[in-house]
Amino acid sequence: MTMMKNAKPDRRRFIISSFSFILFLCVLASINEVRFDSLLKFGRCALSNIPSQYYNSSSNNLLTVNNSSNDDDDIRVLIGILTLPDQYQRRHFLRLIYGTQSPVGAQVDVKFVFCNLTKEDQKVLVALEIMRYDDIIILDCKENMNKGKTYTYFSSLPEMLNTPDGPSPPYHYVMKADDDAYFRLDNLVASLRPLPREDLYYGYVIPCPSMDPFVHYMSGMGYLISWDIVEWIRDSDIPKNHLEGPEDKIFGEWIRSGHRAKNRYNAKWSMYNYPDPPTRCTHELWPDTIAVHLLKNQEKWIHTLKYFNVTDNLKPSKLYHIP
C-alpha cells in the first residue's frame, strides 16, 4: 500500500518532467526555425548583392551569369562591322578576335554587315557562314561605301530587331565599325557604363587635334549611338535626303541638322590609329586602349594582339606546346 502511494508522486513527476521537456523542445525548434529563416533571408540578400563580375560563367557553377540578361544593369551593345561579302578570311579572323572576349555584365553582339549578294559562290558560302555563326546582316542595297550603306544599316535595324517578346530597346547602343579596327570590349563597356542611354553620340572626334565632340563628327573607325537615335534615323527625312559623301562626315551632319545627340562622348585618346606611320591621329599603343584603327595587314594585327597579351589566358594542355 505504501509502495503504491509512493509510485503515484513518481509517476506524476515523470509526466510533468516529460511534458516540460517536450515543451522545451517545441520552443527550441521554434527559435531555430526563426533563426534558419533569418539565415536564409540573409544568405539570399548577400548573394543578390554580389557583383556580377564575381560570378563564374562556367557551366559547372550554379552561379552562372547569362550574358543575354535583360536586367537594367546589363548593357546591350550591337557592333555592326561594315565589310564586303567576299571578305571571308577577314570575317573568320575577326570572329577569333571577338569570340575570345567576354565582357562582364554586358551583352555585346558583333555582326558583319554588307549589301545584297551578287555571285553564286557568295550565296553558298555566306549561307554556310550564317548557318554556322548566325552573325551576318545582309542589307537590301547595292554594295557601296559612301552612297548610303551606313544609312541603310541604321535605318533597317528597328524593323529587324524590334519584337513583341524581346527586350525594349533591343540594344541600348548600336555601333558602326570598320573591319580594320580592333575593339577591346571590356574597356568599351566600362566607358559606356556611366553614360546616358539616350541621345548619345560616342567616338573619336575628327579632326584629329580636336577634343570637342560638338564641333565636327566622329571618325568612321567606330562610332556609337543610342537606340533612340537609330529610330530617329529610320523616321527622319534628314538622313534620307543626304546620303552621298564620306559616311562618317555625313553622319555627323545628320546629327547636327536634326539637333540630336545632346549627350556626346569623345573617346580620344583611348581610340586612335595604329602608330605606324605616325600622324596627328596616332600614338603608341597603351593599356587604356578601347580601339586601334588602321590595322591594314597581319603584321600590325599581330603586334597589337601581342601588346595586349590576348593569349595569356590560354589553358595549358598536353595537346599542344606554344612557347
Side-chain angles (χ1 to χ4, degrees):
M1 198 69 177
T2 305
M3 290 179 62
M4 290 181 65
K5 288 180 180 179
N6 291 336
K8 287 181 180 179
D10 290 342
R11 192 161 46 245
R12 193 179 297 117
R13 282 195 297 270
F14 176 75
I15 292 172
I16 293 172
S17 298
S18 299
F19 178 76
S20 300
F21 182 69
I22 292 171
L23 182 62
F24 171 76
L25 290 177
C26 290
V27 172
L28 183 63
S30 176
I31 293 173
N32 284 339
E33 183 177 358
V34 171
R35 288 178 177 173
F36 184 69
D37 287 343
S38 300
L39 184 61
L40 280 179
K41 290 177 182 177
F42 176 78
R44 291 191 196 105
C45 180
L47 284 175
S48 67
N49 288 318
I50 294 176
S52 60
Q53 61 262 35
Y54 294 136
Y55 285 16
N56 190 333
S57 60
S58 167
S59 60
N60 295 323
N61 193 312
L62 293 177
L63 297 177
T64 300
V65 171
N66 181 357
N67 280 344
S68 62
S69 168
N70 297 326
D71 294 339
D72 289 339
D73 290 335
D74 289 336
I75 297 174
R76 298 187 296 277
V77 184
L78 172 64
I79 299 177
I81 299 176
L82 271 59
T83 185
L84 300 172
D86 289 334
Q87 294 283 354
Y88 303 108
Q89 295 301 321
R90 176 57 60 91
R91 286 195 292 280
H92 293 325
F93 178 69
L94 291 175
R95 286 184 183 112
L96 292 176
I97 299 301
Y98 293 112
T100 52
Q101 299 187 59
S102 300
V104 175
Q107 173 192 343
V108 181
D109 294 337
V110 178
K111 304 285 187 182
F112 299 99
V113 182
F114 41 81
C115 291
N116 289 319
L117 307 180
T118 57
K119 304 174 186 176
E120 287 303 313
D121 64 329
Q122 292 174 353
K123 295 175 184 178
V124 173
L125 296 176
V126 171
L128 286 171
E129 286 185 86
I130 294 172
M131 293 169 65
R132 175 62 181 87
Y133 301 107
D134 192 25
D135 61 359
I136 287 175
I137 296 175
I138 301 178
L139 305 172
D140 186 12
C141 56
K142 183 177 180 180
E143 197 59 62
N144 69 91
M145 179 181 294
N146 294 317
K147 294 186 177 182
K149 182 176 179 179
T150 298
Y151 168 75
T152 305
Y153 164 55
F154 284 114
S155 63
S156 300
L157 291 178
E159 183 179 356
M160 289 179 176
L161 301 176
N162 279 323
T163 59
D165 55 346
S168 181
Y171 294 95
H172 298 112
Y173 307 110
V174 176
M175 175 178 280
K176 173 265 163 186
D178 284 349
D179 64 3
D180 62 349
Y182 167 52
F183 281 85
R184 302 178 70 214
L185 301 185
D186 274 321
N187 285 14
L188 173 65
V189 168
S191 70
L192 291 173
R193 202 170 295 284
L195 301 183
R197 294 186 179 179
E198 291 185 351
D199 212 20
L200 178 72
Y201 182 28
Y202 170 115
Y204 174 98
V205 174
I206 294 293
C208 295
S210 173
M211 296 298 289
D212 187 349
F214 289 90
V215 175
H216 294 286
Y217 59 94
M218 305 296 187
S219 164
M221 73 167 78
Y223 51 86
L224 173 147
I225 55 175
S226 52
W227 184 258
D228 57 303
I229 297 183
V230 173
E231 293 187 324
W232 173 78
I233 292 172
R234 174 197 59 188
D235 298 333
S236 174
D237 288 333
I238 292 173
K240 293 176 187 175
N241 297 325
H242 187 22
L243 297 179
E244 296 195 15
E247 60 89 17
D248 49 3
K249 181 179 180 182
I250 295 299
F251 189 93
E253 291 174 1
W254 298 345
I255 296 296
R256 184 165 54 254
S257 298
H259 304 289
R260 300 284 126 178
K262 69 176 182 293
N263 300 309
R264 303 192 184 188
Y265 183 83
N266 176 21
K268 192 181 293 181
W269 286 98
S270 291
M271 296 174 67
Y272 51 92
N273 287 346
Y274 186 81
D276 184 31
T279 69
R280 300 182 79 182
C281 297
T282 66
H283 67 69
E284 293 302 313
L285 302 175
W286 68 324
D288 291 333
T289 296
I290 293 173
V292 183
H293 186 219
L294 296 183
L295 299 174
K296 294 295 187 182
N297 56 48
Q298 183 152 311
E299 181 182 359
K300 292 181 178 181
W301 271 103
I302 297 303
H303 176 226
T304 301
L305 297 175
K306 286 182 68 176
Y307 176 84
F308 293 113
N309 301 315
V310 297
T311 60
D312 274 6
N313 292 328
L314 180 67
K315 296 179 180 179
S317 172
K318 295 179 180 179
L319 298 179
Y320 48 75
H321 171 67
I322 300 178

